[in-house]
PDB file of all heavy atoms in Angstrom:
ATOM      1  N   TYR A  45     114.642  88.479  90.175  1.00 98.00           N
ATOM      2  CA  TYR A  45     113.773  87.793  91.126  1.00 98.00           C
ATOM      3  C   TYR A  45     112.319  88.065  90.759  1.00 98.00           C
ATOM      4  O   TYR A  45     111.939  89.210  90.488  1.00 98.00           O
ATOM      5  CB  TYR A  45     114.024  88.277  92.551  1.00 98.00           C
ATOM      6  CG  TYR A  45     115.309  87.774  93.153  1.00 98.00           C
ATOM      7  CD1 TYR A  45     116.536  88.322  92.785  1.00 98.00           C
ATOM      8  CD2 TYR A  45     115.302  86.759  94.098  1.00 98.00           C
ATOM      9  CE1 TYR A  45     117.723  87.865  93.339  1.00 98.00           C
ATOM     10  CE2 TYR A  45     116.488  86.288  94.665  1.00 98.00           C
ATOM     11  CZ  TYR A  45     117.684  86.850  94.279  1.00 98.00           C
ATOM     12  OH  TYR A  45     118.870  86.387  94.832  1.00 98.00           O
ATOM     13  N   HIS A  48     107.536  88.089  95.022  1.00 93.00           N
ATOM     14  CA  HIS A  48     107.408  87.197  96.178  1.00 93.00           C
ATOM     15  C   HIS A  48     108.578  86.219  96.318  1.00 93.00           C
ATOM     16  O   HIS A  48     108.626  85.472  97.299  1.00 93.00           O
ATOM     17  CB  HIS A  48     106.100  86.400  96.147  1.00 93.00           C
ATOM     18  CG  HIS A  48     104.866  87.233  95.990  1.00 93.00           C
ATOM     19  ND1 HIS A  48     104.619  88.343  96.775  1.00 93.00           N
ATOM     20  CD2 HIS A  48     103.807  87.135  95.132  1.00 93.00           C
ATOM     21  CE1 HIS A  48     103.464  88.885  96.419  1.00 93.00           C
ATOM     22  NE2 HIS A  48     102.960  88.181  95.428  1.00 93.00           N
ATOM     23  N   GLU A  49     109.526  86.209  95.388  1.00 97.00           N
ATOM     24  CA  GLU A  49     110.648  85.274  95.496  1.00 97.00           C
ATOM     25  C   GLU A  49     111.576  85.687  96.634  1.00 97.00           C
ATOM     26  O   GLU A  49     111.856  86.867  96.847  1.00 97.00           O
ATOM     27  CB  GLU A  49     111.423  85.210  94.185  1.00 97.00           C
ATOM     28  CG  GLU A  49     112.477  84.107  94.150  1.00 97.00           C
ATOM     29  CD  GLU A  49     113.114  83.938  92.788  1.00 97.00           C
ATOM     30  OE1 GLU A  49     112.719  84.659  91.839  1.00 97.00           O
ATOM     31  OE2 GLU A  49     114.022  83.083  92.681  1.00 97.00           O
ATOM     32  N   ILE A  50     112.066  84.696  97.371  1.00 98.00           N
ATOM     33  CA  ILE A  50     112.885  84.937  98.561  1.00 98.00           C
ATOM     34  C   ILE A  50     114.340  85.208  98.191  1.00 98.00           C
ATOM     35  O   ILE A  50     114.931  84.490  97.382  1.00 98.00           O
ATOM     36  CB  ILE A  50     112.811  83.726  99.510  1.00 98.00           C
ATOM     37  CG1 ILE A  50     111.371  83.471  99.963  1.00 98.00           C
ATOM     38  CG2 ILE A  50     113.728  83.919 100.713  1.00 98.00           C
ATOM     39  CD1 ILE A  50     110.787  84.547 100.826  1.00 98.00           C
ATOM     40  N   LEU A  51     114.916  86.236  98.801  1.00 98.00           N
ATOM     41  CA  LEU A  51     116.352  86.497  98.681  1.00 98.00           C
ATOM     42  C   LEU A  51     117.110  85.701  99.739  1.00 98.00           C
ATOM     43  O   LEU A  51     118.116  85.060  99.441  1.00 98.00           O
ATOM     44  CB  LEU A  51     116.665  87.989  98.861  1.00 98.00           C
ATOM     45  CG  LEU A  51     116.444  88.940  97.690  1.00 98.00           C
ATOM     46  CD1 LEU A  51     114.965  89.100  97.384  1.00 98.00           C
ATOM     47  CD2 LEU A  51     117.061  90.305  97.993  1.00 98.00           C
ATOM     48  N   PHE A  52     116.648  85.817 100.970  1.00 97.00           N
ATOM     49  CA  PHE A  52     117.222  85.033 102.061  1.00 97.00           C
ATOM     50  C   PHE A  52     116.159  84.842 103.127  1.00 97.00           C
ATOM     51  O   PHE A  52     115.191  85.595 103.206  1.00 97.00           O
ATOM     52  CB  PHE A  52     118.475  85.699 102.645  1.00 97.00           C
ATOM     53  CG  PHE A  52     118.291  87.118 103.131  1.00 97.00           C
ATOM     54  CD1 PHE A  52     117.724  87.390 104.373  1.00 97.00           C
ATOM     55  CD2 PHE A  52     118.710  88.192 102.349  1.00 97.00           C
ATOM     56  CE1 PHE A  52     117.569  88.695 104.824  1.00 97.00           C
ATOM     57  CE2 PHE A  52     118.555  89.502 102.794  1.00 97.00           C
ATOM     58  CZ  PHE A  52     117.983  89.754 104.033  1.00 97.00           C
ATOM     59  N   ARG A  53     116.365  83.801 103.950  1.00 96.00           N
ATOM     60  CA  ARG A  53     115.387  83.458 104.976  1.00 96.00           C
ATOM     61  C   ARG A  53     115.940  83.679 106.381  1.00 96.00           C
ATOM     62  O   ARG A  53     117.135  83.492 106.623  1.00 96.00           O
ATOM     63  CB  ARG A  53     114.941  82.000 104.839  1.00 96.00           C
ATOM     64  CG  ARG A  53     114.143  81.712 103.580  1.00 96.00           C
ATOM     65  CD  ARG A  53     113.597  80.293 103.580  1.00 96.00           C
ATOM     66  NE  ARG A  53     112.886  79.994 102.346  1.00 96.00           N
ATOM     67  CZ  ARG A  53     111.620  80.311 102.114  1.00 96.00           C
ATOM     68  NH1 ARG A  53     110.920  80.920 103.073  1.00 96.00           N
ATOM     69  NH2 ARG A  53     111.050  80.013 100.968  1.00 96.00           N
ATOM     70  N   GLU A  54     115.058  84.064 107.260  1.00 96.00           N
ATOM     71  CA  GLU A  54     115.413  84.216 108.664  1.00 96.00           C
ATOM     72  C   GLU A  54     116.023  82.917 109.194  1.00 96.00           C
ATOM     73  O   GLU A  54     115.506  81.829 108.961  1.00 96.00           O
ATOM     74  CB  GLU A  54     114.168  84.572 109.472  1.00 96.00           C
ATOM     75  CG  GLU A  54     114.411  84.761 110.949  1.00 96.00           C
ATOM     76  CD  GLU A  54     113.164  85.158 111.715  1.00 96.00           C
ATOM     77  OE1 GLU A  54     112.110  85.377 111.072  1.00 96.00           O
ATOM     78  OE2 GLU A  54     113.236  85.251 112.958  1.00 96.00           O
ATOM     79  N   PHE A  62     123.156  91.891  99.376  1.00 97.00           N
ATOM     80  CA  PHE A  62     122.358  92.079  98.172  1.00 97.00           C
ATOM     81  C   PHE A  62     122.208  93.564  97.873  1.00 97.00           C
ATOM     82  O   PHE A  62     121.957  94.366  98.772  1.00 97.00           O
ATOM     83  CB  PHE A  62     120.975  91.440  98.344  1.00 97.00           C
ATOM     84  CG  PHE A  62     121.016  89.954  98.554  1.00 97.00           C
ATOM     85  CD1 PHE A  62     121.267  89.420  99.810  1.00 97.00           C
ATOM     86  CD2 PHE A  62     120.809  89.085  97.485  1.00 97.00           C
ATOM     87  CE1 PHE A  62     121.307  88.042 100.013  1.00 97.00           C
ATOM     88  CE2 PHE A  62     120.850  87.709  97.675  1.00 97.00           C
ATOM     89  CZ  PHE A  62     121.101  87.191  98.940  1.00 97.00           C
ATOM     90  N   VAL A  69     112.019  95.466  97.632  1.00 94.00           N
ATOM     91  CA  VAL A  69     112.150  94.281  98.487  1.00 94.00           C
ATOM     92  C   VAL A  69     111.515  94.572  99.836  1.00 94.00           C
ATOM     93  O   VAL A  69     111.648  95.687 100.368  1.00 94.00           O
ATOM     94  CB  VAL A  69     113.642  93.916  98.671  1.00 94.00           C
ATOM     95  CG1 VAL A  69     113.820  92.873  99.768  1.00 94.00           C
ATOM     96  CG2 VAL A  69     114.245  93.426  97.362  1.00 94.00           C
ATOM     97  N   LYS A  70     110.839  93.580 100.382  1.00 94.00           N
ATOM     98  CA  LYS A  70     110.335  93.710 101.752  1.00 94.00           C
ATOM     99  C   LYS A  70     111.158  92.815 102.663  1.00 94.00           C
ATOM    100  O   LYS A  70     111.552  91.709 102.287  1.00 94.00           O
ATOM    101  CB  LYS A  70     108.851  93.336 101.845  1.00 94.00           C
ATOM    102  CG  LYS A  70     108.547  91.872 101.542  1.00 94.00           C
ATOM    103  CD  LYS A  70     107.060  91.573 101.730  1.00 94.00           C
ATOM    104  CE  LYS A  70     106.739  90.105 101.402  1.00 94.00           C
ATOM    105  NZ  LYS A  70     105.311  89.779 101.595  1.00 94.00           N
ATOM    106  N   LYS A  71     111.433  93.314 103.872  1.00 94.00           N
ATOM    107  CA  LYS A  71     112.076  92.515 104.902  1.00 94.00           C
ATOM    108  C   LYS A  71     111.057  92.306 106.007  1.00 94.00           C
ATOM    109  O   LYS A  71     110.418  93.265 106.443  1.00 94.00           O
ATOM    110  CB  LYS A  71     113.317  93.225 105.438  1.00 94.00           C
ATOM    111  CG  LYS A  71     114.461  93.336 104.435  1.00 94.00           C
ATOM    112  CD  LYS A  71     115.655  94.043 105.061  1.00 94.00           C
ATOM    113  CE  LYS A  71     116.248  93.224 106.187  1.00 94.00           C
ATOM    114  NZ  LYS A  71     117.338  93.936 106.895  1.00 94.00           N
ATOM    115  N   TYR A  72     110.931  91.064 106.454  1.00 95.00           N
ATOM    116  CA  TYR A  72     109.887  90.778 107.439  1.00 95.00           C
ATOM    117  C   TYR A  72     110.290  89.641 108.359  1.00 95.00           C
ATOM    118  O   TYR A  72     111.173  88.847 108.055  1.00 95.00           O
ATOM    119  CB  TYR A  72     108.573  90.433 106.732  1.00 95.00           C
ATOM    120  CG  TYR A  72     108.629  89.179 105.881  1.00 95.00           C
ATOM    121  CD1 TYR A  72     108.333  87.926 106.420  1.00 95.00           C
ATOM    122  CD2 TYR A  72     108.987  89.241 104.528  1.00 95.00           C
ATOM    123  CE1 TYR A  72     108.382  86.777 105.648  1.00 95.00           C
ATOM    124  CE2 TYR A  72     109.040  88.100 103.749  1.00 95.00           C
ATOM    125  CZ  TYR A  72     108.736  86.878 104.313  1.00 95.00           C
ATOM    126  OH  TYR A  72     108.801  85.731 103.537  1.00 95.00           O
ATOM    127  N   VAL A  92     120.685  95.228 101.191  1.00 95.00           N
ATOM    128  CA  VAL A  92     119.996  94.429 102.198  1.00 95.00           C
ATOM    129  C   VAL A  92     120.868  93.223 102.542  1.00 95.00           C
ATOM    130  O   VAL A  92     121.670  92.767 101.730  1.00 95.00           O
ATOM    131  CB  VAL A  92     118.600  93.945 101.725  1.00 95.00           C
ATOM    132  CG1 VAL A  92     117.627  95.105 101.587  1.00 95.00           C
ATOM    133  CG2 VAL A  92     118.698  93.193 100.415  1.00 95.00           C
ATOM    134  N   GLY A  93     120.723  92.754 103.765  1.00 95.00           N
ATOM    135  CA  GLY A  93     121.438  91.556 104.179  1.00 95.00           C
ATOM    136  C   GLY A  93     122.806  91.786 104.777  1.00 95.00           C
ATOM    137  O   GLY A  93     123.478  90.822 105.159  1.00 95.00           O
ATOM    138  N   ASP A 105     115.877  88.237 109.805  1.00 95.00           N
ATOM    139  CA  ASP A 105     114.587  88.372 109.145  1.00 95.00           C
ATOM    140  C   ASP A 105     114.671  87.748 107.750  1.00 95.00           C
ATOM    141  O   ASP A 105     115.716  87.228 107.348  1.00 95.00           O
ATOM    142  CB  ASP A 105     114.165  89.846 109.055  1.00 95.00           C
ATOM    143  CG  ASP A 105     115.313  90.754 108.603  1.00 95.00           C
ATOM    144  OD1 ASP A 105     116.181  90.277 107.830  1.00 95.00           O
ATOM    145  OD2 ASP A 105     115.357  91.920 109.018  1.00 95.00           O
ATOM    146  N   THR A 106     113.564  87.799 107.042  1.00 97.00           N
ATOM    147  CA  THR A 106     113.483  87.260 105.679  1.00 97.00           C
ATOM    148  C   THR A 106     113.310  88.413 104.698  1.00 97.00           C
ATOM    149  O   THR A 106     112.678  89.419 105.026  1.00 97.00           O
ATOM    150  CB  THR A 106     112.284  86.294 105.555  1.00 97.00           C
ATOM    151  OG1 THR A 106     112.459  85.213 106.468  1.00 97.00           O
ATOM    152  CG2 THR A 106     112.159  85.730 104.144  1.00 97.00           C
ATOM    153  N   ALA A 107     113.879  88.275 103.509  1.00 97.00           N
ATOM    154  CA  ALA A 107     113.728  89.294 102.472  1.00 97.00           C
ATOM    155  C   ALA A 107     113.124  88.654 101.227  1.00 97.00           C
ATOM    156  O   ALA A 107     113.519  87.560 100.825  1.00 97.00           O
ATOM    157  CB  ALA A 107     115.073  89.933 102.127  1.00 97.00           C
ATOM    158  N   ALA A 108     112.150  89.333 100.629  1.00 97.00           N
ATOM    159  CA  ALA A 108     111.489  88.843  99.423  1.00 97.00           C
ATOM    160  C   ALA A 108     111.190  90.006  98.488  1.00 97.00           C
ATOM    161  O   ALA A 108     110.980  91.145  98.939  1.00 97.00           O
ATOM    162  CB  ALA A 108     110.191  88.111  99.776  1.00 97.00           C
ATOM    163  N   ALA A 109     111.189  89.736  97.190  1.00 96.00           N
ATOM    164  CA  ALA A 109     110.906  90.772  96.206  1.00 96.00           C
ATOM    165  C   ALA A 109     109.432  91.169  96.257  1.00 96.00           C
ATOM    166  O   ALA A 109     108.549  90.312  96.287  1.00 96.00           O
ATOM    167  CB  ALA A 109     111.260  90.279  94.808  1.00 96.00           C
TER     168      ALA A 109
END
Side-chain angles (χ1 to χ4, degrees):
Y45 286 76
H48 307 311
E49 189 173 358
I50 300 294
L51 280 69
F52 56 80
R53 293 186 183 277
E54 180 178 355
F62 298 82
V69 169
K70 65 177 179 179
K71 292 181 65 185
Y72 63 89
V92 292
D105 45 31
T106 299

